[in-house]
Amino acid sequence: MKADLLLTGFEEVVTMADGPIPRTGPAMSELGRIDRGAIAIAQGKVLWVGPAARARASVTLRHGGATRHFPGGVALPGLVDAHTHLVFAGSREREVEQKVRGVSYLEIARSGGGLFQTVRATRTASPASLYEQALDRLRRMVRWGTTSLEVKSGYGLNWKTEQRLLNVIRRLGRIGGPTIVPTFLGGHAYPPEYADRHEEYLRELITTQLPEVARRRLARYCDVFCEKGFFSASESRRLLRTAQGLGMGVKIHADEFTECGGARLAAELRADSADHLLEAGVEGRKALARAGVPAVLLPVTPFASLSARRPPGREMVDEGVAVALGTDLSPNSWVEAMPLVLAHAVYGARLTPQEALTAATVNSAHAIGLPDRGRLVPGLPADIVVMDVPSAEQVAYRLGHGPPAAVYLSGQEPGF
Ligand code: ZN
C-alpha cells in the first residue's frame, strides 16, 4: 500500500507497541521508542513506523502524498483523557476565593454551591448553549493533544437534563473530532429535591433511567460518586450491578475525600475503572491490582482543590495497579490540557515521566474501552501528537511548555 502522508525528522517516536495491555509495574516504563523515527499514514491508519533512514526503502508515497518534517520533535500516540465532565454550563471562579480561605469542596457542596450551582446552571441552559460551551472546550483539548476522551453526564440530576447531556455528548462524538466514550453519571449526587428521599431517587435511577440509557445506547458506562454524604458503597453496588446486568460497563468515583469502600467495590465488581482514589488505602489498592481494575488518577484535581493530598500513583505502580490518567475537566478543576495532567502525574502523583506517558496513552485507552488507541502500530488509527521537545521525558518534565506542534486525528489535522 502507498502512504498518503509521511511524518519524519523526529528525535524519537514513542510507539507503545509491545507489552501487555494494560501495562503494570516495570512494563509501564517501556515506551517502544524508535530513535530518529518516521511514521507513514494511509487512509487514516498507521501504515508503517520505523527509523527514518529506512522510510524510503519501506514506504512509497502515493501520487500527491505529502511529507512533513518535524526536526527535533517527539511523536507520541494521541493522548487519551479517561475522565471528563466536559458538558456543563457556567463557571465557578468565585469558589476559588472560598477554597483559598480554607473552605473545602464538600463544605461548598453542602451549602448548596459547587456541584449544585453547576446543576442549576446546567438545568436552565439550552441544548444549543450546552453544545457550544462543550465544543469550545473540546477544540482546546484537541489542540493540547487529546485525541480520545471519556465524557460523563451528571450535572442534570433529573432525567430530562441527563438525557439532554447524553444527547450533546453523542452529537459531539459525530463531528469528525476526537473519539468520545459516553458515561451516564446520574449518580453524581442526590438532587436537592430528593434530599429526604434518597431511596426514591436511587430506585428511579435503577428502574427507569438506567434501563432507558441502556436501551437507547446513550452511554457505554455507568459511573457513581461513591462518597460519604453522596452514594454509599452499598447504594453504589446496587446501581452498578444493575448497569452490569443491562450490559453496561461500570466506573466509580472512588475514595476521593474519604476511604469509604470505593476501591474495594470496584475490585469486587471487576469495574472497568476506579477513579480519583486520593484516599485509597493499601488494602483497596491491592484489591484493584489483584482484580486487574485500572486506576484513573486525576492529579490536577487535588491541586485545583487546594488539597494537601497527592494521588498515590507511585504506590500504585509499585503495587501492580494499572494506572491511567484523566483531566477531570469540570467547573471544579477546569483543565483542558493533558500535558499539564502529565506534569502533575509526575510532580504530584510521583509517576516517572515514562510511566506518565504510558498511563496517558495505552492505559487510559484501555480504561475507556478503546483497545485500538494509545499506541502507534500499523493498522491502528493514526491518532498522533507531535511535541516540540527533544525527548519523551521532557513532555512531563517541562511545565506549561505550550501546545503540541501538531495533532492528527485518524491521520488528519483537526478540521472541526
Ligand atoms: Zn469526576
Side-chain angles (χ1 to χ4, degrees), residues 159 162-163 166-167 169-170 182-184 209 212-221 248:
W159 182 227
E162 286 294 313
Q163 278 182 91
L166 291 168
N167 283 326
I169 296 169
R170 174 173 282 184
T183 294
F184 175 59
Q209 298 191 20
E212 193 63 10
V213 170
R215 189 182 68 75
R216 288 164 54 196
R217 296 181 187 278
L218 290 170
R220 191 191 291 193
Y221 297 106
M248 295 173 72

Side-chain angles (χ1 to χ4, degrees), residues 14 75-81 145-148 357 360-362 364-365 373-376 381-386 407-409:
V14 169
L76 311 168
L79 301 174
V80 180
D81 185 343
T146 298
T147 56
S148 299
L357 282 175
T361 53
V362 60
S364 280
R373 309 293 163 136
R375 293 176 292 147
L376 294 180
D383 287 355
I384 300 165
V385 174
V386 180
V407 178
Y408 293 92
L409 299 167

Side-chain angles (χ1 to χ4, degrees), residues 208-254:
T208 310
Q209 298 191 20
L210 256 185
E212 193 63 10
V213 170
R215 189 182 68 75
R216 288 164 54 196
R217 296 181 187 278
L218 290 170
R220 191 191 291 193
Y221 297 106
C222 176
D223 192 350
V224 65
F225 199 81
C226 179
E227 184 60 57
K228 207 171 151 197
F230 290 76
F231 289 78
S232 70
S234 72
E235 290 163 345
S236 301
R237 182 185 289 106
R238 284 166 62 195
L239 181 67
L240 298 181
R241 281 235 173 102
T242 305
Q244 287 180 322
L246 292 163
M248 295 173 72
V250 298
K251 292 174 167 284
I252 308 181
H253 280 68

Side-chain angles (χ1 to χ4, degrees), residues 119-141:
V119 168
R120 287 193 295 275
T122 302
R123 282 177 178 178
T124 52
S126 70
S129 156
L130 286 168
Y131 175 79
E132 288 302 326
Q133 291 180 58
L135 179 63
D136 180 58
R137 293 188 277 269
L138 188 65
R139 287 197 176 113
R140 246 192 303 272
M141 295 170 94

Side-chain angles (χ1 to χ4, degrees), residues 83-85 152 185 188 223 225 253 256 275-276 298 328 330:
H83 183 132
T84 84
H85 303 256
K152 303 173 197 296
L185 182 57
H188 198 178
D223 192 350
F225 199 81
H253 280 68
E256 181 182 358
D275 299 29
H276 280 290
L298 311 163
D328 198 23
S330 80

